[in-house]
Amino acid sequence: MVLTIKENDYPITDNELTKHIHPTTKVFRIKDPKSNQRLSDWSTQVDRKIANIFSKIPIIWKLNNKLSKITRTICRPIIRLLSIPDSSVGCLPKFLCEGYKIIRNEKPDIIFSTSPPATTHLAGWILSKIFKITWAADLRDEWTLNPTVSYPGKFYQNLDQFLEKSTLNQADIIISTTLAIAKDTASQIGRDISHFVTITNGHILSPDVTHNNNLTRHNLLTFIFSGLGSWR
């Protein structure tokens, strides 16, 4: 079983990839509420309405600036908190609700969560505790050590690091795409490297098994990378 968000919640999609899903695999999709984006939009609307009201009263334009500053000062920290550990955290209640139903009905042997987004690990952790099921956390990229992640202040970084350490230390096994990610994460959360397994991108567990035989031509399998690279 796979629990994810709906296709239209992704900025870029490739429907051809769905052909590689095994026929017996059940895929459950939920709608991403995008709570932080909605709060940001609401904050902007309030700011504009205040500006529109006081623009008609030139004598108190300074009050308009102060009110706008207060609105931004209050809302922006809340918006940023709603992005810890990432912008998908608004999906967590739905992940838990749907995940609870799926596990209760399907009774899987393990819970496998993969990131990014790191929110999936929060769901995996909580559901594994509720149902007493083995939980494997898969890191396709680093969590707080990801070079593409930035924080507006030390408080937000410390909060995310606390969340990372508290969550990943509960996983029965942690999977990473590279040994470097495994070592860095182990050091970051204070966990022994023996709890990590490295499975690189494009790794085939058995040479006799491929997801789609149409991918091979003349006994050759070609991998093409298309995406972004980052380094520290």
mmCIF file of all heavy atoms in Angstrom, residues 83-101:
data_model
loop_
_atom_site.group_PDB
_atom_site.id
_atom_site.type_symbol
_atom_site.label_atom_id
_atom_site.label_comp_id
_atom_site.label_asym_id
_atom_site.label_seq_id
_atom_site.Cartn_x
_atom_site.Cartn_y
_atom_site.Cartn_z
ATOM 1 N N SER A 83 5.894 25.563 8.548
ATOM 2 C CA SER A 83 6.738 24.944 7.533
ATOM 3 C C SER A 83 7.820 24.074 8.177
ATOM 4 O O SER A 83 8.799 23.706 7.528
ATOM 5 C CB SER A 83 7.398 26.025 6.665
ATOM 6 O OG SER A 83 6.438 26.742 5.924
ATOM 7 N N ILE A 84 7.675 23.788 9.463
ATOM 8 C CA ILE A 84 8.597 22.898 10.160
ATOM 9 C C ILE A 84 7.932 21.532 10.329
ATOM 10 O O ILE A 84 6.854 21.458 10.909
ATOM 11 C CB ILE A 84 8.990 23.459 11.557
ATOM 12 C CG1 ILE A 84 9.697 24.808 11.413
ATOM 13 C CG2 ILE A 84 9.855 22.464 12.312
ATOM 14 C CD1 ILE A 84 11.053 24.731 10.767
ATOM 15 N N PRO A 85 8.465 20.442 9.802
ATOM 16 C CA PRO A 85 9.755 20.381 9.128
ATOM 17 C C PRO A 85 9.737 20.797 7.667
ATOM 18 O O PRO A 85 10.794 21.001 7.081
ATOM 19 C CB PRO A 85 10.119 18.896 9.242
ATOM 20 C CG PRO A 85 8.796 18.205 9.194
ATOM 21 C CD PRO A 85 7.862 19.103 9.962
ATOM 22 N N ASP A 86 8.546 20.929 7.060
ATOM 23 C CA ASP A 86 8.446 21.338 5.655
ATOM 24 C C ASP A 86 7.023 21.798 5.378
ATOM 25 O O ASP A 86 6.152 21.741 6.246
ATOM 26 C CB ASP A 86 8.840 20.181 4.717
ATOM 27 C CG ASP A 86 8.134 18.882 5.077
ATOM 28 O OD1 ASP A 86 6.889 18.852 5.000
ATOM 29 O OD2 ASP A 86 8.809 17.919 5.455
ATOM 30 N N SER A 87 6.789 22.248 4.167
ATOM 31 C CA SER A 87 5.479 22.807 3.822
ATOM 32 C C SER A 87 4.379 21.761 3.752
ATOM 33 O O SER A 87 3.203 22.104 3.649
ATOM 34 C CB SER A 87 5.568 23.547 2.475
ATOM 35 O OG SER A 87 5.985 22.668 1.437
ATOM 36 N N SER A 88 4.739 20.484 3.805
ATOM 37 C CA SER A 88 3.733 19.410 3.765
ATOM 38 C C SER A 88 3.212 19.037 5.141
ATOM 39 O O SER A 88 2.404 18.116 5.259
ATOM 40 C CB SER A 88 4.317 18.159 3.089
ATOM 41 O OG SER A 88 4.632 18.405 1.744
ATOM 42 N N VAL A 89 3.662 19.734 6.188
ATOM 43 C CA VAL A 89 3.252 19.375 7.546
ATOM 44 C C VAL A 89 1.743 19.523 7.735
ATOM 45 O O VAL A 89 1.147 18.867 8.595
ATOM 46 C CB VAL A 89 4.019 20.217 8.587
ATOM 47 C CG1 VAL A 89 3.532 21.663 8.581
ATOM 48 C CG2 VAL A 89 3.923 19.605 9.975
ATOM 49 N N GLY A 90 1.103 20.352 6.903
ATOM 50 C CA GLY A 90 -0.350 20.480 6.968
ATOM 51 C C GLY A 90 -1.073 19.197 6.591
ATOM 52 O O GLY A 90 -2.251 19.007 6.918
ATOM 53 N N CYS A 91 -0.354 18.286 5.915
ATOM 54 C CA CYS A 91 -0.931 16.994 5.530
ATOM 55 C C CYS A 91 -0.923 15.995 6.677
ATOM 56 O O CYS A 91 -1.562 14.942 6.583
ATOM 57 C CB CYS A 91 -0.149 16.388 4.364
ATOM 58 S SG CYS A 91 -0.299 17.274 2.805
ATOM 59 N N LEU A 92 -0.171 16.292 7.745
ATOM 60 C CA LEU A 92 0.031 15.311 8.807
ATOM 61 C C LEU A 92 -1.274 14.766 9.391
ATOM 62 O O LEU A 92 -1.414 13.538 9.533
ATOM 63 C CB LEU A 92 0.902 15.903 9.912
ATOM 64 C CG LEU A 92 1.290 14.948 11.050
ATOM 65 C CD1 LEU A 92 2.003 13.721 10.503
ATOM 66 C CD2 LEU A 92 2.172 15.659 12.076
ATOM 67 N N PRO A 93 -2.251 15.615 9.742
ATOM 68 C CA PRO A 93 -3.511 15.051 10.273
ATOM 69 C C PRO A 93 -4.188 14.077 9.306
ATOM 70 O O PRO A 93 -4.688 13.027 9.730
ATOM 71 C CB PRO A 93 -4.378 16.302 10.508
ATOM 72 C CG PRO A 93 -3.397 17.402 10.715
ATOM 73 C CD PRO A 93 -2.269 17.094 9.781
ATOM 74 N N LYS A 94 -4.179 14.410 8.010
ATOM 75 C CA LYS A 94 -4.792 13.518 7.032
ATOM 76 C C LYS A 94 -3.973 12.251 6.843
ATOM 77 O O LYS A 94 -4.527 11.164 6.656
ATOM 78 C CB LYS A 94 -4.956 14.246 5.693
ATOM 79 C CG LYS A 94 -6.072 15.283 5.697
ATOM 80 C CD LYS A 94 -6.373 15.779 4.300
ATOM 81 C CE LYS A 94 -7.584 16.707 4.287
ATOM 82 N NZ LYS A 94 -7.936 17.148 2.926
ATOM 83 N N PHE A 95 -2.650 12.391 6.864
ATOM 84 C CA PHE A 95 -1.794 11.208 6.777
ATOM 85 C C PHE A 95 -2.099 10.248 7.923
ATOM 86 O O PHE A 95 -2.194 9.035 7.734
ATOM 87 C CB PHE A 95 -0.320 11.605 6.835
ATOM 88 C CG PHE A 95 0.271 11.992 5.507
ATOM 89 C CD1 PHE A 95 1.198 13.013 5.418
ATOM 90 C CD2 PHE A 95 -0.089 11.321 4.345
ATOM 91 C CE1 PHE A 95 1.750 13.376 4.199
ATOM 92 C CE2 PHE A 95 0.450 11.674 3.118
ATOM 93 C CZ PHE A 95 1.381 12.705 3.043
ATOM 94 N N LEU A 96 -2.241 10.799 9.118
ATOM 95 C CA LEU A 96 -2.494 9.970 10.291
ATOM 96 C C LEU A 96 -3.877 9.324 10.220
ATOM 97 O O LEU A 96 -4.034 8.140 10.535
ATOM 98 C CB LEU A 96 -2.368 10.803 11.564
ATOM 99 C CG LEU A 96 -0.962 11.326 11.885
ATOM 100 C CD1 LEU A 96 -0.999 12.236 13.098
ATOM 101 C CD2 LEU A 96 -0.005 10.164 12.110
ATOM 102 N N CYS A 97 -4.854 10.106 9.799
ATOM 103 C CA CYS A 97 -6.227 9.600 9.720
ATOM 104 C C CYS A 97 -6.340 8.488 8.674
ATOM 105 O O CYS A 97 -6.859 7.400 8.958
ATOM 106 C CB CYS A 97 -7.185 10.744 9.388
ATOM 107 S SG CYS A 97 -8.925 10.262 9.330
ATOM 108 N N GLU A 98 -5.835 8.758 7.460
ATOM 109 C CA GLU A 98 -5.908 7.758 6.396
ATOM 110 C C GLU A 98 -4.994 6.578 6.689
ATOM 111 O O GLU A 98 -5.338 5.432 6.420
ATOM 112 C CB GLU A 98 -5.536 8.402 5.056
ATOM 113 C CG GLU A 98 -6.548 9.405 4.543
ATOM 114 C CD GLU A 98 -7.917 8.788 4.341
ATOM 115 O OE1 GLU A 98 -8.001 7.676 3.772
ATOM 116 O OE2 GLU A 98 -8.907 9.401 4.766
ATOM 117 N N GLY A 99 -3.803 6.876 7.240
ATOM 118 C CA GLY A 99 -2.877 5.810 7.578
ATOM 119 C C GLY A 99 -3.456 4.873 8.619
ATOM 120 O O GLY A 99 -3.276 3.647 8.549
ATOM 121 N N TYR A 100 -4.155 5.426 9.585
ATOM 122 C CA TYR A 100 -4.799 4.614 10.632
ATOM 123 C C TYR A 100 -5.818 3.657 10.000
ATOM 124 O O TYR A 100 -5.856 2.462 10.333
ATOM 125 C CB TYR A 100 -5.479 5.525 11.645
ATOM 126 C CG TYR A 100 -6.108 4.793 12.801
ATOM 127 C CD1 TYR A 100 -5.377 4.533 13.958
ATOM 128 C CD2 TYR A 100 -7.424 4.355 12.737
ATOM 129 C CE1 TYR A 100 -5.951 3.845 15.025
ATOM 130 C CE2 TYR A 100 -8.004 3.668 13.788
ATOM 131 C CZ TYR A 100 -7.266 3.419 14.930
ATOM 132 O OH TYR A 100 -7.828 2.742 15.976
ATOM 133 N N LYS A 101 -6.623 4.174 9.071
ATOM 134 C CA LYS A 101 -7.643 3.344 8.425
ATOM 135 C C LYS A 101 -6.992 2.235 7.595
ATOM 136 O O LYS A 101 -7.429 1.076 7.619
ATOM 137 C CB LYS A 101 -8.525 4.206 7.520
ATOM 138 C CG LYS A 101 -9.369 5.229 8.263
ATOM 139 C CD LYS A 101 -10.144 6.083 7.272
ATOM 140 C CE LYS A 101 -10.941 7.184 7.969
ATOM 141 N NZ LYS A 101 -11.632 8.066 6.986
#
